[in-house]
């Protein structure tokens, strides 16, 4: 086993869980954090099945519990001496048309998807600065590059993350710290079920967007979703790449969406999206 240490947020399911296992298989000592360690069962089973369980250390960390983050990072450094990789993965999606979203729901979305990743990064940066090395991998989304109907708050939180991360990369490149964004399309994880929180007003029949919202939900649910193991393997590869690119778009749907946005005249692009999602009316 190498003496490389990786810290991951949101490791209880989906991309975070699979990334913990991939990095453990690659020989990293993985500090797999989750906000409720009572939910560690799926990670334990997956790790045991691959023989990587001994490399995984599960710890409690809620990325919105900002005051606790420095002490958790300090404890990792005290115990393991260093942090080579930080995977900022924890996230969820608030859904509902923009008109229906309450400000506090939008703030809640930013607390996890943006400020949580910022707080984790700020806690780890002094460690990597001392080491003059380290990889920080931000799990963003294609929604961070592309406005997305009925998840405007999610899309905004990921756009914010994209801008912050691009700036950070410029600032720390010369310090030996590598920063990269991962932008997945649709992958089959709990984010489509447990991790999708409907805005309160959006669920009400009194919402002027209620019918459009129902049609849209049906359409989105029917979109084929990829196997998230591909995203986890990509993150593990970026962690081991001495010179990662600034961003990695992953998933066929994400690549197509981005290409259409870049190539089509904007009017055509909007028409295509509106027809696909049955938005008019
Ligand atoms: N799946 C996709 O299609 C897709 C596409 C683009 C981007 N992404 C991004 O991928 C990342 C992982 O999502 P996923 O698809 O793997 O969904 P997931 O299976 O729902 O996993 C999300 C993870 O984040 C954790 N989490 C949520 N709030 C947290 C908090 N405050 N503190 C710590 N952990 C928290 C969840 O913990 P609990 O188990 O406690 O809820 C869970 O472990 C997210 O950033 C998401 O935006 C996913």
């Amino acid at each position: 086993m190498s003496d490389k240490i990786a810290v991951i947020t949101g490791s209880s399911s989906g991309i975070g869980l699979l990334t913990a296992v991939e990095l453990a298989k690659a020989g990293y000592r993985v500090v797999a954090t989750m906000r409720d360690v009572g939910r560690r069962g799926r990670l334990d089973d997956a790790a045991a099945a691959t023989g990587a369980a001994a490399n995984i250390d599960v710890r409690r960390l809620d990325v919105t519990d900002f005051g606790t983050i420095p002490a958790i990072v300090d404890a990792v450094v005290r115990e393991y001496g260093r942090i080579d990789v930080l995977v900022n993965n924890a996230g969820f999606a608030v859904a509902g048309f923009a008109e229906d979203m309450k400000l506090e729901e939008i703030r809640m979305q930013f607390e996890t998807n943006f400020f949580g990743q910022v707080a984790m990064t700020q806690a780890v940066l002094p460690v990597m600065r001392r080491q003059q090395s380290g990889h920080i991998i931000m799990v963003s989304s294609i929604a961070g590059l592309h406005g997305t109907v009925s998840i405007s708050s999610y899309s905004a939180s990921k756009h914010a993350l994209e801008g912050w991360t691009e700036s950070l990369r410029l600032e720390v490149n010369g310090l030996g710290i590598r920063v990269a964004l991962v932008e997945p399309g649709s992958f089959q994880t709990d984010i489509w079920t447990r991790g999708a929180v409907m805005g309160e007003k959006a669920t009400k029949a009194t919402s002027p967007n209620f019918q459009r919202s129902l049609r849209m939900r049906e359409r989105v649910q029917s979109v084929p979703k990829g196997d998230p193991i591909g995203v986890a393997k990509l993150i593990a590869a970026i962690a081991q790449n001495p010179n990662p690119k600034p961003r990695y778009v992953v998933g066929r749907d994400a690549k197509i969406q981005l290409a259409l946005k870049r190539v089509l005249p904007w009017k055509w692009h909007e028409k295509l999206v509106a027809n696909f999602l049955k938005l008019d009316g």
Side-chain angles (χ1 to χ4, degrees):
M1 189 177 114
S2 79
D3 56 357
K4 294 228 165 182
I5 310 300
V7 175
I8 308 179
T9 63
S11 307
S12 61
S13 68
I15 294 168
L17 181 158
L18 294 168
T19 302
V21 174
E22 283 307 307
L23 285 172
K25 273 166 48 187
Y28 285 81
R29 179 78 182 158
V30 179
V31 180
T33 69
M34 55 188 74
R35 59 181 165 175
D36 175 5
V37 289
R39 291 182 33 76
R40 63 180 289 167
R42 280 198 281 178
L43 172 60
D44 288 341
D45 291 348
T50 56
N55 286 2
I56 297 181
D57 173 3
V58 174
R59 297 192 181 193
R60 189 189 171 277
L61 192 158
D62 182 328
V63 298
T64 62
D65 217 344
F66 305 118
T68 66
I69 291 174
I72 294 169
V73 169
D74 285 352
V76 171
V77 176
R78 254 197 326 276
E79 208 160 316
Y80 296 112
R82 54 189 298 112
I83 296 176
D84 298 285
V85 179
L86 169 65
V87 183
N88 276 314
N89 164 77
F92 76 105
V94 178
F97 277 64
E99 182 184 10
D100 292 327
M101 299 312 298
K102 292 180 172 176
L103 282 183
E104 63 256 36
E105 290 167 339
I106 302 172
R107 285 201 183 99
M108 184 178 79
Q109 180 71 100
F110 270 73
E111 290 286 291
T112 302
N113 291 14
F114 178 67
F115 290 109
Q117 301 213 18
V118 169
M120 281 302 297
T121 303
Q122 287 184 334
V124 165
L125 275 173
V127 182
M128 294 186 171
R129 179 188 271 275
R130 270 196 308 275
Q131 293 168 184
Q132 298 184 322
S133 69
H135 281 62
I136 299 174
I137 302 168
M138 304 292 206
V139 183
S140 175
S141 167
I142 186 63
L145 298 172
H146 196 298
T148 315
V149 177
S150 93
I151 50 165
S152 54
S153 318
Y154 177 81
S155 183
S157 70
K158 297 292 190 181
H159 271 75
L161 187 65
E162 294 272 334
W164 193 79
T165 304
E166 213 174 281
S167 311
L168 174 72
R169 181 172 156 116
L170 289 166
E171 290 175 3
V172 302
N173 242 338
L175 305 176
I177 302 169
R178 304 291 171 241
V179 179
L181 284 150
V182 175
E183 292 137 344
S186 305
F187 288 87
Q188 194 59 61
T189 69
D190 288 3
I191 204 163
W192 300 94
T193 52
R194 222 171 39 83
V197 179
M198 284 301 290
E200 195 192 317
K201 288 202 260 174
T203 58
K204 301 228 158 79
T206 48
S207 157
N209 301 297
F210 189 64
Q211 290 307 327
R212 294 203 301 169
S213 200
L214 290 181
R215 285 202 303 273
M216 161 88 196
R217 204 180 316 162
E218 218 173 89
R219 199 79 180 96
V220 168
Q221 293 298 354
S222 71
V223 168
K225 299 174 182 70
D227 184 341
I229 189 66
V231 185
K233 283 186 186 297
L234 171 65
I235 295 172
I238 296 169
Q240 295 167 84
N241 183 337
N243 285 305
K245 295 188 295 183
R247 36 175 56 88
Y248 294 82
V249 176
V250 50
R252 197 166 160 264
D253 59 334
K255 287 178 182 160
I256 292 173
Q257 272 183 60
L258 198 59
L260 290 177
K261 179 179 173 176
R262 285 183 177 154
V263 169
L264 287 181
W266 192 248
K267 261 190 181 170
W268 295 12
H269 176 254
E270 283 181 340
K271 227 179 183 43
L272 198 81
V273 173
N275 285 343
F276 179 71
L277 298 176
K278 301 185 182 158
L279 284 177
D280 295 333

